[in-house]
Amino acid sequence: MAVLISSRALRVHCLSYTARAFSTTTSSKVDFTHAVIGGGVVGLAIARQLAGRDGTSTVLVERNRAVGMETSSRNSEVIHAGLYYGEDSLKTKLCIQGRQMMYALCKEHSIPHANTKKWIVAQSDQEWEDCLRLHEHAQRIGVPTRPISLEAGKLQEPDVRADKGILESESTGIVDGHALMEFLKGDFEDRGGDLALNSTVTSIESARQGKEGYEIFTRDRNTSETTSFTTSTLINSAGLGCFDISNMLLPPERHVQGHWCKGSYFSYSLSKPRTKTLIYPAPTPGQGGLGTHLTLDLAGQIRFGPDVEWVDSPDDLAPNDSQIEAAFGEIKRYLPGVRREALAPDYSGIRPKLARSDATASGKNFKDFVIRKEDGYDGFVNLLAIESPGLTSNLAIALKVEDLLYT
C-alpha cells in the first residue's frame, strides 16, 4: 500500500491496487483531476497552484520519504536575476517573473531570504567585454545591473579581486530553500491537495491518448506493494526522473536521453576572507555551469560551488575530492586570500541536462527549459531538464503549467 499523507483522507479505492480498465463514460469518473509527479520545489509549486482551482482535486506523487530531497535541496539557494539566457527563452521569462513572485511570497509569508546582490568580476579585458555585453543584454530584458568602479569595489569588498571590472546584479539574492518548500507543501495541503510519499511510479497507461485520462501505477518503497489511481491530467515534474517518466508514456521515437551534470560544493572553515555579496566569475561561453562561485547562507557563512563534472548516473552524489584543486584555482582568481586547507567537500547536486555539452548560459550549446503539452496526449504536460534557474522560476513555472492546461 502506498504511503499517502494528506490534510484529508484519500478515497479508499486509491489505496489498493486494481487492474481495472478505464471508464468509457466521462472524465468525472477518474480519481483525481490533476496528478503531479515529482515533489521538488517545482512540483510543489505546480501542485499548489492547481490545488487552488475550484472543483478540482490534485495529488502530488513523490518517490522519496519527504519532498525536496534531490536537486531542490542540493543547490546554491540563489534567487537569480535572469541575466544569462537568451532574450526570448523560457529561462529568461520565467526567471524574471519567478524572481519577482519569489520576493513577494517570501515577504508576505516570512520565508527567510535576503537581497544580497551579486558581483560578476572580470580579471581580463576579454572577461570585462563579456561583462559589458551581459550588462547590455540585462538592460534589454529589464534586469537591473550596473558597473561598479574598482575603487568603490575595493571599499565595499576589500577581500575580492577584480582586476578589470565589476558588474553588479542588484536583484540577486538567497532564500532558505527548505523553508520555501515547507511553505509550498503546507499551502498545497491547506488547499486540499493529497501528497503520496515513498511512491515510485512504475508505469503509466493512457486511455485514448489521454482523452479519458491516465492510470498511474506506483510501488511503495518501504513495502514494495503496488497501487494505481486515475487522473484527468498528468504533469511530469520528476526532476532527475523526468526522462524515465516521459519515456514511460511517449512512443520510442519520442524518447529523450538524459545527461547528468554533477556539481560539488565546498565549505570554508576560516573566518577570513569574507564577503557580504555573492561573487561570480565572468561567464564562460559553452560551460555547463556558471563557474565555481561564492555564495552565502542566511547566517553569512560562505560556500563555493558548484563545479562541473559530467557523470553517468543521477545517483552519483558523493562530493568528488579530486575536484577540490581545480575549484581552489578558480576561487583564488577572485578571492586571493582563500586558504586551501580551509576548503572541504561539502555536498553535491545533479543537474538534469538534455545534452552532455549543454551550456547553462546562452551560447552555441544552450538548451532551454522544456515545458510543453505533448501532441497526441491530452492533458499531459511534460517538464524536462528543469535545472537552474528552476528554484527561482518555480512559481512562474506553476502558472505556465496551469495556463497550458486551461487555456
Side-chain angles (χ1 to χ4, degrees):
M1 184 179 296
V3 177
L4 294 155
I5 300 176
S6 175
S7 57
R8 59 182 171 83
L10 278 174
R11 303 169 184 82
V12 173
H13 60 255
C14 292
L15 295 175
S16 60
Y17 174 83
T18 56
R20 64 188 181 280
F22 281 102
S23 166
T24 56
T25 54
T26 66
S27 61
S28 64
K29 301 300 183 182
V30 299
D31 299 326
F32 294 97
T33 314
H34 317 114
V36 180
I37 300 176
V41 67
V42 173
L44 283 164
I46 293 168
R48 168 183 174 265
Q49 186 68 31
L50 296 176
R53 295 187 67 89
D54 291 339
T56 68
S57 56
T58 303
V59 61
L60 176 60
V61 182
E62 167 55 43
R63 61 187 175 182
N64 291 299
R65 68 179 184 276
V67 298
M69 292 186 66
E70 296 182 3
T71 304
S72 296
S73 60
R74 293 174 170 272
N75 58 72
S76 302
E77 297 185 305
V78 171
I79 302 174
H80 289 288
L83 289 173
Y84 294 103
Y85 319 106
E87 190 168 344
D88 296 322
S89 69
L90 279 179
K91 285 187 175 182
T92 289
K93 294 174 181 177
L94 296 176
C95 186
I96 292 172
Q97 181 186 11
R99 180 239 306 158
Q100 294 165 346
M101 295 176 72
M102 175 86 80
Y103 278 126
L105 183 82
C106 289
K107 182 177 180 180
E108 180 180 356
H109 296 283
S110 301
I111 298 168
H113 70 290
N115 179 200
T116 57
K117 303 183 181 181
K118 174 175 84 174
W119 284 4
I120 305 168
V121 294
Q123 314 299 347
S124 69
D125 291 335
Q126 181 60 57
E127 288 184 356
W128 184 233
E129 287 179 18
D130 293 339
C131 286
L132 291 177
R133 279 194 291 270
L134 195 59
H135 176 54
E136 292 169 0
H137 171 68
Q139 305 317 295
R140 288 195 300 272
I141 61 176
V143 173
T145 57
R146 65 184 184 116
I148 293 180
S149 71
L150 297 181
E151 294 78 13
K154 186 55 67 177
L155 287 173
Q156 290 181 50
E157 297 286 5
D159 292 332
V160 174
R161 175 187 175 190
D163 288 348
K164 296 296 181 178
I166 302 166
L167 182 65
E168 181 178 77
S169 171
E170 301 169 68
S171 57
T172 299
I174 54 175
V175 64
D176 183 334
H178 294 279
L180 171 65
M181 288 189 285
E182 280 301 308
F183 169 79
L184 294 173
K185 172 179 171 289
D187 205 33
F188 164 65
E189 293 182 321
D190 287 346
R191 295 178 182 197
D194 290 296
L195 175 59
L197 297 174
N198 290 313
S199 299
T200 300
V201 175
T202 57
S203 63
I204 304 170
E205 295 179 4
S206 66
R208 297 183 61 239
Q209 260 93 45
K211 291 182 175 65
E212 293 178 3
Y214 299 89
E215 186 162 16
I216 300 174
F217 298 82
T218 66
R219 182 180 65 252
D220 187 293
R221 294 186 73 172
N222 290 329
T223 66
S224 296
E225 294 185 27
T226 56
T227 186
S228 74
F229 62 88
T230 56
T231 178
S232 295
T233 63
L234 173 62
I235 298 91
N236 174 19
S237 182
L240 298 179
C242 68
F243 304 110
D244 291 338
I245 297 299
S246 181
N247 295 345
M248 283 180 193
L249 188 56
L250 298 181
E253 63 271 18
R254 292 167 65 178
H255 284 187
V256 180
Q257 174 67 48
H259 301 268
W260 316 113
C261 184
K262 178 177 174 179
S264 293
Y265 293 81
F266 306 96
S267 62
Y268 193 69
S269 59
L270 297 178
S271 60
K272 294 289 183 179
R274 277 286 180 258
T275 76
K276 302 181 292 295
T277 310
L278 310 187
I279 310 296
Y280 282 54
T284 301
Q287 187 169 310
L290 297 176
T292 303
H293 44 268
L294 179 157
T295 60
L296 303 165
D297 63 21
L298 287 162
Q301 181 70 34
I302 67 173
R303 60 188 170 202
F304 300 98
D307 58 8
V308 173
E309 179 188 2
W310 294 98
V311 295
D312 296 326
S313 168
D315 300 319
D316 183 358
L317 287 170
N320 191 341
D321 290 1
S322 67
Q323 297 285 98
I324 199 165
E325 292 300 333
F328 174 62
E330 289 188 45
I331 296 163
K332 198 169 180 63
R333 291 189 72 221
Y334 61 79
L335 202 69
V338 68
R339 301 286 295 274
R340 165 63 183 84
E341 63 271 19
L343 288 170
D346 193 2
Y347 63 95
S348 294
I350 303 286
R351 287 159 277 178
K353 299 276 192 176
L354 290 166
R356 200 171 180 88
S357 58
D358 185 356
T360 295
S362 58
K364 179 182 178 182
N365 296 315
F366 172 71
K367 301 291 185 184
D368 203 358
F369 286 155
V370 172
I371 305 173
R372 66 191 178 205
K373 291 194 293 186
E374 291 289 356
D375 290 343
Y377 292 81
D378 286 9
F380 176 40
V381 178
N382 210 4
L383 287 79
L384 302 175
I386 306 299
E387 46 138 355
S388 183
L391 174 65
T392 304
S393 306
N394 73 90
L395 300 171
I397 291 173
L399 289 178
K400 180 168 181 62
V401 169
E402 183 180 36
D403 185 63
L404 286 172
L405 288 173
Y406 287 99
T407 61

